[in-house]
C-alpha cells in the first residue's frame, strides 16, 4: 500500500515520529530501548497521523520475520474493526510479497481471525469481552482507546485485560495507541533540557484514558531541531502563525511555525526533514546539537511517547 495516498510502496519514514514506536516492538523484549527494557508501549498523537498504519507495519513485520500470535482491539465492531482495520489488514496480507503466499484463504481464514503461516491474528472490539478473553497473544494492540464507549469500560480496564492475554508468552508486549479526546494539561520547562514538556498531573484529575496510561510511562516527547538556529524544541500549536485577518484559505497557504527559541520562520517544506531528524526526549534527559539524547527517563515498565499533530 502507498504512503498516505502517494504512489509506490509504503514508506514508514513518511511518518518518522512513529518509527521508534514501531521499532520498540522488536526491541523491548530483546535489547534495551532508550536505556531500559519495557513490556508495555503507549503512543499518543493526533487523528490522521498514521497511527493505524504503524500498527499494520508492526503486524506485517512480525508475521514475516518473527511470527507470534497477535490480537488487535478496536473501539467498535461495525465502524472501526470491520470497515476500517479489517479491510486494510486483509489488503496488506494479500498484497505484501512476504505474506501473500503464506496467508490462509477460504474456510481456513475468518473475518475476525487471520492465519498467516499457521500464526493467528485475532480481531476484537470494545464491548466484546468473550472475543477479548478468547485468545492468547504475544503482542496485543489497543487502538483508539479514548473512543471506547462507557459500556466497554464497564467490563474492566481494557489495557489490563490485554496483559492477561499474554500470560503464556515470556516476551509478551501490550500496546495502546490513541488520540486524547478530552481534558487539558499544562506545560512546564524541564530543568535538564530546557524543553517545554507536558506537566505531570494527579491521575484522578485526568479525563483521557490514553493520557493516564501515557503519564504512567516514560513520557517521551517528540522534538524538532530548528533548521535555522539548530535549537531543539517541542512543536506545539501555539508555535503556529498566519497573517492577521487572513481567510481560512489564505491562512492555509501562508501558515508557518515560529521557532520558540529564536523566532525563526519554519516552512512546510522543512517538516519532512525535521521529522526524520526528530528525537524523543523524556523528562530529566538532555539533547545536544547533534541529536544525542543522554540521561535516564522516568523509571517505568511502560515506554510512552507523544508526538504533536503538527508533525503529521
Amino acid at each position: 500500500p502507498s504512503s498516505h495516498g502517494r504512489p509506490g510502496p509504503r514508506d514508514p519514514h513518511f511518518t518518522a515520529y512513529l518509527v521508534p514506536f514501531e521499532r520498540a516492538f522488536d526491541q523491548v523484549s530483546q535489547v534495551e530501548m532508550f536505556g531500559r527494557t519495557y513490556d508495555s508501549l503507549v503512543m499518543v498523537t493526533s487523528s490522521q497521523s498514521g497511527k493505524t498504519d504503524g500498527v499494520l507495519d508492526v503486524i506485517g513485520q512480525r508475521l514475516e520475520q518473527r511470527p507470534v500470535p497477535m490480537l488487535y482491539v478496536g473501539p467498535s465492531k461495525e465502524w472501526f474493526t470491520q470497515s476500517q482495520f479489517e479491510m486494510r489488514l486483509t489488503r496488506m496480507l494479500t498484497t505484501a510479497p512476504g505474506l501473500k503466499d503464506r496467508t490462509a484463504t477460504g474456510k481456513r481464514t475468518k473475518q475476525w481471525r487471520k492465519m498467516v503461516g499457521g500464526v493467528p491474528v485475532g480481531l476484537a472490539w470494545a464491548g466484546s469481552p468473550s472475543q477479548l478473553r478468547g485468545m492468547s497473544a504475544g503482542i496485543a494492540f489497543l487502538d483508539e482507546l479514548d473512543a471506547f464507549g462507557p459500556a466497554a469500560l464497564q467490563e474492566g480496564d481494557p489495557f489490563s485485560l490485554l496483559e492477561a492475554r499474554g500470560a503464556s508468552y515470556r516476551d509478551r508486549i501490550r500496546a495502546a495507541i490513541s488520540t486524547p479526546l478530552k481534558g487539558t494539561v499544562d506545560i512546564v520547562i524541564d530543568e535538564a533540557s530546557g524543553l517545554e514538556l507536558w506537566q505531570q498531573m494527579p491521575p484522578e484529575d485526568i479525563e483521557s484514558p490514553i493520557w493516564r496510561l501515557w503519564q504512567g510511562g516514560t513520557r517521551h516527547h517528540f522534538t524538532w531541531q530548528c533548521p535555522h538556529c539548530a535549537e531543539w524544541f517541542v512543536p506545539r500549536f501555539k508555535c503556529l502563525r498566519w497573517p492577521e485577518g487572513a481567510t481560512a484559505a489564505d491562512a492555509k497557504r501562508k501558515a508557518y511555525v515560529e521557532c520558540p527559541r529564536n523566532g525563526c520562520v519554519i516552512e512546510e517544506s522543512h517538516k519532512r526533514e525535521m521529522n526524520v531528524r526528530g528525537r524523543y526526549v523524556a523528562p530529566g534527559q538532555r539533547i545536544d546539537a547533534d541529536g544525542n539524547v543522554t540521561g535516564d527517563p522516568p523509571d517505568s515498565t511502560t515506554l510512552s511517547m507523544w508526538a504533536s499533530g503538527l508533525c503529521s
Side-chain angles (χ1 to χ4, degrees), residues 17 20-21 24 28 32-38 40-45 190 193 195-198 211 213-223 234-236 278-287 293-308:
Y17 47 87
F21 175 75
V28 291
E32 291 186 343
M33 184 78 172
F34 296 138
R36 302 281 177 84
T37 55
Y38 307 92
S40 299
L41 307 175
V42 174
M43 180 71 208
V44 179
T45 188
D190 184 68
S193 64
L195 296 170
E196 293 185 340
L197 306 184
W198 293 117
W211 199 258
L213 289 177
W214 181 86
Q215 185 179 270
T218 56
R219 311 197 319 272
H220 279 85
H221 294 60
F222 191 70
T223 62
V234 177
R236 299 185 179 279
R279 295 290 186 271
Y280 276 100
V281 182
Q285 294 187 309
R286 293 176 171 82
I287 183 169
V293 178
T294 56
D296 293 328
D299 188 17
S300 176
T301 58
T302 297
L303 173 62
S304 60
M305 307 179 188
W306 170 83
S308 167

Side-chain angles (χ1 to χ4, degrees), residues 21 26-27 37 46 48 51 58 62 65 105 146 168 172 190-191 193 209 299:
F21 175 75
D26 209 38
Q27 292 179 300
T37 55
S46 67
Q48 301 299 310
K51 298 189 298 296
V58 173
R62 287 302 300 262
Q65 298 178 12
T105 58
D146 276 23
S168 59
R172 60 186 177 274
D190 184 68
E191 293 183 0
S193 64
D299 188 17

